Amino acid sequence: MAKVLIAYYSRRGENYVNGSIRNLKLGNTEVVAAKIKALLPDADMFRIDTVRQYSESYMTCIEEAKQELREQARPEMKETIDSIDQYDTIILGYPNWWGTMPMVCYTFLESFDFSGKTIIPFCTNEGSGMGSSERFIKKLCPSATILSGVAIHGAEAEHADREAEVIARMAK
């Protein structure tokens, strides 16, 4: 079996869920990443996070995210991994922010050479699906094989067992 890395960005705390703001102990993407990890116990996990934390207020956070997108910012990652050389497959999870992935995911993808790797994207969202994120992943990682992404309704993350199974099968 190929060596797998599950890399994900997820927002805890205030989130938009089914039309209202709710406080989440774990972000939706993190919930799904954990489900995938349970199905792929030999996979490694890496939580992508930013040095500069976003506002605790969801409404302020989305404005910060919009500004980063406008500026094509590359937020600094709080931690990194030394290398992805040992991985054949990278499962990349993130929420859909403004039709794409959070800008720190761009930072992550630009930090490594994904040549010859397979990337399996999954995205939690409240109705906007994968947005344009797959197109940007292909642009950032032109020498990687990018599989079709799996869009998961964020409010259903706790019940996304079938979607996690699909992603895990793709990684095997």
Side-chain angles (χ1 to χ4, degrees), residues 16-36:
Y16 183 76
V17 180
N18 279 338
S20 64
I21 304 295
R22 292 202 351 226
N23 196 357
L24 303 179
K25 182 178 177 183
L26 297 176
N28 295 323
T29 307
E30 186 172 8
V31 168
V32 176
K35 288 178 177 294
I36 297 166

PDB file of all heavy atoms in Angstrom, residues 16-36:
ATOM      1  N   TYR A  16     -20.315  28.734  10.099  1.00  0.00           N
ATOM      2  CA  TYR A  16     -21.636  28.831   9.476  1.00  0.00           C
ATOM      3  C   TYR A  16     -22.125  27.414   9.218  1.00  0.00           C
ATOM      4  O   TYR A  16     -21.462  26.639   8.507  1.00  0.00           O
ATOM      5  CB  TYR A  16     -21.510  29.612   8.168  1.00  0.00           C
ATOM      6  CG  TYR A  16     -22.806  29.856   7.464  1.00  0.00           C
ATOM      7  CD1 TYR A  16     -23.687  30.831   7.927  1.00  0.00           C
ATOM      8  CD2 TYR A  16     -23.159  29.138   6.337  1.00  0.00           C
ATOM      9  CE1 TYR A  16     -24.885  31.074   7.275  1.00  0.00           C
ATOM     10  CE2 TYR A  16     -24.346  29.376   5.673  1.00  0.00           C
ATOM     11  CZ  TYR A  16     -25.207  30.339   6.151  1.00  0.00           C
ATOM     12  OH  TYR A  16     -26.384  30.582   5.507  1.00  0.00           O
ATOM     13  N   VAL A  17     -23.252  27.050   9.805  1.00  0.00           N
ATOM     14  CA  VAL A  17     -23.791  25.693   9.676  1.00  0.00           C
ATOM     15  C   VAL A  17     -25.287  25.791   9.414  1.00  0.00           C
ATOM     16  O   VAL A  17     -26.038  26.297  10.255  1.00  0.00           O
ATOM     17  CB  VAL A  17     -23.533  24.864  10.961  1.00  0.00           C
ATOM     18  CG1 VAL A  17     -24.089  23.455  10.809  1.00  0.00           C
ATOM     19  CG2 VAL A  17     -22.047  24.814  11.291  1.00  0.00           C
ATOM     20  N   ASN A  18     -25.698  25.320   8.249  1.00  0.00           N
ATOM     21  CA  ASN A  18     -27.126  25.300   7.899  1.00  0.00           C
ATOM     22  C   ASN A  18     -27.837  26.627   8.160  1.00  0.00           C
ATOM     23  O   ASN A  18     -28.918  26.671   8.714  1.00  0.00           O
ATOM     24  CB  ASN A  18     -27.851  24.164   8.633  1.00  0.00           C
ATOM     25  CG  ASN A  18     -27.658  22.837   7.958  1.00  0.00           C
ATOM     26  OD1 ASN A  18     -27.340  22.761   6.769  1.00  0.00           O
ATOM     27  ND2 ASN A  18     -27.834  21.769   8.708  1.00  0.00           N
ATOM     28  N   GLY A  19     -27.196  27.705   7.790  1.00  0.00           N
ATOM     29  CA  GLY A  19     -27.838  29.008   7.864  1.00  0.00           C
ATOM     30  C   GLY A  19     -27.676  29.771   9.165  1.00  0.00           C
ATOM     31  O   GLY A  19     -28.226  30.859   9.317  1.00  0.00           O
ATOM     32  N   SER A  20     -26.935  29.208  10.106  1.00  0.00           N
ATOM     33  CA  SER A  20     -26.718  29.938  11.361  1.00  0.00           C
ATOM     34  C   SER A  20     -25.281  29.757  11.831  1.00  0.00           C
ATOM     35  O   SER A  20     -24.571  28.864  11.375  1.00  0.00           O
ATOM     36  CB  SER A  20     -27.700  29.462  12.441  1.00  0.00           C
ATOM     37  OG  SER A  20     -27.466  28.102  12.746  1.00  0.00           O
ATOM     38  N   ILE A  21     -24.865  30.614  12.730  1.00  0.00           N
ATOM     39  CA  ILE A  21     -23.515  30.547  13.288  1.00  0.00           C
ATOM     40  C   ILE A  21     -23.554  29.623  14.510  1.00  0.00           C
ATOM     41  O   ILE A  21     -24.388  29.810  15.405  1.00  0.00           O
ATOM     42  CB  ILE A  21     -23.010  31.950  13.702  1.00  0.00           C
ATOM     43  CG1 ILE A  21     -23.063  32.925  12.515  1.00  0.00           C
ATOM     44  CG2 ILE A  21     -21.602  31.859  14.289  1.00  0.00           C
ATOM     45  CD1 ILE A  21     -22.146  32.582  11.375  1.00  0.00           C
ATOM     46  N   ARG A  22     -22.659  28.627  14.499  1.00  0.00           N
ATOM     47  CA  ARG A  22     -22.569  27.695  15.632  1.00  0.00           C
ATOM     48  C   ARG A  22     -21.119  27.579  16.064  1.00  0.00           C
ATOM     49  O   ARG A  22     -20.205  27.740  15.254  1.00  0.00           O
ATOM     50  CB  ARG A  22     -23.099  26.318  15.236  1.00  0.00           C
ATOM     51  CG  ARG A  22     -24.580  26.332  14.995  1.00  0.00           C
ATOM     52  CD  ARG A  22     -25.298  25.005  15.109  1.00  0.00           C
ATOM     53  NE  ARG A  22     -24.469  23.835  15.228  1.00  0.00           N
ATOM     54  CZ  ARG A  22     -24.652  22.718  14.533  1.00  0.00           C
ATOM     55  NH1 ARG A  22     -25.624  22.643  13.659  1.00  0.00           N
ATOM     56  NH2 ARG A  22     -23.869  21.679  14.712  1.00  0.00           N
ATOM     57  N   ASN A  23     -20.915  27.260  17.317  1.00  0.00           N
ATOM     58  CA  ASN A  23     -19.577  27.073  17.856  1.00  0.00           C
ATOM     59  C   ASN A  23     -19.227  25.596  17.775  1.00  0.00           C
ATOM     60  O   ASN A  23     -19.892  24.761  18.399  1.00  0.00           O
ATOM     61  CB  ASN A  23     -19.524  27.579  19.307  1.00  0.00           C
ATOM     62  CG  ASN A  23     -18.108  27.768  19.794  1.00  0.00           C
ATOM     63  OD1 ASN A  23     -17.153  27.484  19.081  1.00  0.00           O
ATOM     64  ND2 ASN A  23     -17.974  28.258  21.005  1.00  0.00           N
ATOM     65  N   LEU A  24     -18.182  25.265  17.001  1.00  0.00           N
ATOM     66  CA  LEU A  24     -17.785  23.874  16.799  1.00  0.00           C
ATOM     67  C   LEU A  24     -16.509  23.563  17.567  1.00  0.00           C
ATOM     68  O   LEU A  24     -15.513  24.281  17.442  1.00  0.00           O
ATOM     69  CB  LEU A  24     -17.550  23.598  15.312  1.00  0.00           C
ATOM     70  CG  LEU A  24     -18.703  23.889  14.356  1.00  0.00           C
ATOM     71  CD1 LEU A  24     -18.284  23.578  12.929  1.00  0.00           C
ATOM     72  CD2 LEU A  24     -19.951  23.105  14.747  1.00  0.00           C
ATOM     73  N   LYS A  25     -16.544  22.489  18.343  1.00  0.00           N
ATOM     74  CA  LYS A  25     -15.356  22.053  19.076  1.00  0.00           C
ATOM     75  C   LYS A  25     -14.264  21.646  18.094  1.00  0.00           C
ATOM     76  O   LYS A  25     -13.088  21.946  18.287  1.00  0.00           O
ATOM     77  CB  LYS A  25     -15.714  20.891  19.992  1.00  0.00           C
ATOM     78  CG  LYS A  25     -14.563  20.406  20.833  1.00  0.00           C
ATOM     79  CD  LYS A  25     -14.987  19.276  21.759  1.00  0.00           C
ATOM     80  CE  LYS A  25     -13.789  18.770  22.533  1.00  0.00           C
ATOM     81  NZ  LYS A  25     -14.150  17.629  23.376  1.00  0.00           N
ATOM     82  N   LEU A  26     -14.649  20.945  17.046  1.00  0.00           N
ATOM     83  CA  LEU A  26     -13.741  20.574  15.946  1.00  0.00           C
ATOM     84  C   LEU A  26     -14.335  21.107  14.665  1.00  0.00           C
ATOM     85  O   LEU A  26     -15.551  21.021  14.455  1.00  0.00           O
ATOM     86  CB  LEU A  26     -13.593  19.057  15.842  1.00  0.00           C
ATOM     87  CG  LEU A  26     -12.984  18.324  17.028  1.00  0.00           C
ATOM     88  CD1 LEU A  26     -13.019  16.819  16.775  1.00  0.00           C
ATOM     89  CD2 LEU A  26     -11.567  18.785  17.276  1.00  0.00           C
ATOM     90  N   GLY A  27     -13.491  21.605  13.784  1.00  0.00           N
ATOM     91  CA  GLY A  27     -13.979  22.070  12.494  1.00  0.00           C
ATOM     92  C   GLY A  27     -14.472  20.900  11.652  1.00  0.00           C
ATOM     93  O   GLY A  27     -14.067  19.751  11.841  1.00  0.00           O
ATOM     94  N   ASN A  28     -15.358  21.186  10.711  1.00  0.00           N
ATOM     95  CA  ASN A  28     -15.939  20.142   9.866  1.00  0.00           C
ATOM     96  C   ASN A  28     -14.887  19.352   9.096  1.00  0.00           C
ATOM     97  O   ASN A  28     -14.967  18.126   8.992  1.00  0.00           O
ATOM     98  CB  ASN A  28     -16.939  20.760   8.890  1.00  0.00           C
ATOM     99  CG  ASN A  28     -18.131  21.344   9.608  1.00  0.00           C
ATOM    100  OD1 ASN A  28     -18.598  20.802  10.596  1.00  0.00           O
ATOM    101  ND2 ASN A  28     -18.621  22.466   9.104  1.00  0.00           N
ATOM    102  N   THR A  29     -13.892  20.043   8.565  1.00  0.00           N
ATOM    103  CA  THR A  29     -12.858  19.358   7.787  1.00  0.00           C
ATOM    104  C   THR A  29     -12.051  18.425   8.691  1.00  0.00           C
ATOM    105  O   THR A  29     -11.698  17.315   8.292  1.00  0.00           O
ATOM    106  CB  THR A  29     -11.946  20.381   7.087  1.00  0.00           C
ATOM    107  OG1 THR A  29     -12.767  21.289   6.331  1.00  0.00           O
ATOM    108  CG2 THR A  29     -10.963  19.705   6.159  1.00  0.00           C
ATOM    109  N   GLU A  30     -11.785  18.858   9.901  1.00  0.00           N
ATOM    110  CA  GLU A  30     -11.052  18.028  10.853  1.00  0.00           C
ATOM    111  C   GLU A  30     -11.836  16.761  11.209  1.00  0.00           C
ATOM    112  O   GLU A  30     -11.258  15.678  11.352  1.00  0.00           O
ATOM    113  CB  GLU A  30     -10.753  18.839  12.112  1.00  0.00           C
ATOM    114  CG  GLU A  30      -9.879  18.128  13.110  1.00  0.00           C
ATOM    115  CD  GLU A  30      -9.442  19.027  14.251  1.00  0.00           C
ATOM    116  OE1 GLU A  30      -9.929  20.166  14.377  1.00  0.00           O
ATOM    117  OE2 GLU A  30      -8.578  18.580  15.027  1.00  0.00           O
ATOM    118  N   VAL A  31     -13.150  16.882  11.333  1.00  0.00           N
ATOM    119  CA  VAL A  31     -14.003  15.730  11.622  1.00  0.00           C
ATOM    120  C   VAL A  31     -13.876  14.696  10.498  1.00  0.00           C
ATOM    121  O   VAL A  31     -13.697  13.503  10.745  1.00  0.00           O
ATOM    122  CB  VAL A  31     -15.471  16.171  11.822  1.00  0.00           C
ATOM    123  CG1 VAL A  31     -16.413  14.972  11.842  1.00  0.00           C
ATOM    124  CG2 VAL A  31     -15.607  16.986  13.101  1.00  0.00           C
ATOM    125  N   VAL A  32     -13.938  15.152   9.262  1.00  0.00           N
ATOM    126  CA  VAL A  32     -13.829  14.236   8.125  1.00  0.00           C
ATOM    127  C   VAL A  32     -12.421  13.645   8.034  1.00  0.00           C
ATOM    128  O   VAL A  32     -12.255  12.448   7.783  1.00  0.00           O
ATOM    129  CB  VAL A  32     -14.238  14.931   6.807  1.00  0.00           C
ATOM    130  CG1 VAL A  32     -14.037  14.002   5.619  1.00  0.00           C
ATOM    131  CG2 VAL A  32     -15.683  15.418   6.881  1.00  0.00           C
ATOM    132  N   ALA A  33     -11.400  14.467   8.269  1.00  0.00           N
ATOM    133  CA  ALA A  33     -10.017  13.968   8.244  1.00  0.00           C
ATOM    134  C   ALA A  33      -9.837  12.838   9.248  1.00  0.00           C
ATOM    135  O   ALA A  33      -9.172  11.834   8.968  1.00  0.00           O
ATOM    136  CB  ALA A  33      -9.030  15.108   8.509  1.00  0.00           C
ATOM    137  N   ALA A  34     -10.430  12.986  10.431  1.00  0.00           N
ATOM    138  CA  ALA A  34     -10.332  11.936  11.452  1.00  0.00           C
ATOM    139  C   ALA A  34     -11.029  10.657  11.007  1.00  0.00           C
ATOM    140  O   ALA A  34     -10.545   9.545  11.283  1.00  0.00           O
ATOM    141  CB  ALA A  34     -10.913  12.434  12.771  1.00  0.00           C
ATOM    142  N   LYS A  35     -12.142  10.792  10.307  1.00  0.00           N
ATOM    143  CA  LYS A  35     -12.833   9.613   9.779  1.00  0.00           C
ATOM    144  C   LYS A  35     -11.959   8.884   8.751  1.00  0.00           C
ATOM    145  O   LYS A  35     -11.879   7.655   8.741  1.00  0.00           O
ATOM    146  CB  LYS A  35     -14.162  10.012   9.131  1.00  0.00           C
ATOM    147  CG  LYS A  35     -15.229  10.434  10.117  1.00  0.00           C
ATOM    148  CD  LYS A  35     -16.495  10.863   9.382  1.00  0.00           C
ATOM    149  CE  LYS A  35     -17.586  11.218  10.358  1.00  0.00           C
ATOM    150  NZ  LYS A  35     -18.071  10.087  11.150  1.00  0.00           N
ATOM    151  N   ILE A  36     -11.289   9.645   7.905  1.00  0.00           N
ATOM    152  CA  ILE A  36     -10.397   9.049   6.901  1.00  0.00           C
ATOM    153  C   ILE A  36      -9.227   8.364   7.593  1.00  0.00           C
ATOM    154  O   ILE A  36      -8.855   7.237   7.247  1.00  0.00           O
ATOM    155  CB  ILE A  36      -9.913  10.121   5.905  1.00  0.00           C
ATOM    156  CG1 ILE A  36     -11.104  10.709   5.131  1.00  0.00           C
ATOM    157  CG2 ILE A  36      -8.874   9.538   4.953  1.00  0.00           C
ATOM    158  CD1 ILE A  36     -10.783  11.991   4.386  1.00  0.00           C
TER     159      ILE A  36
END
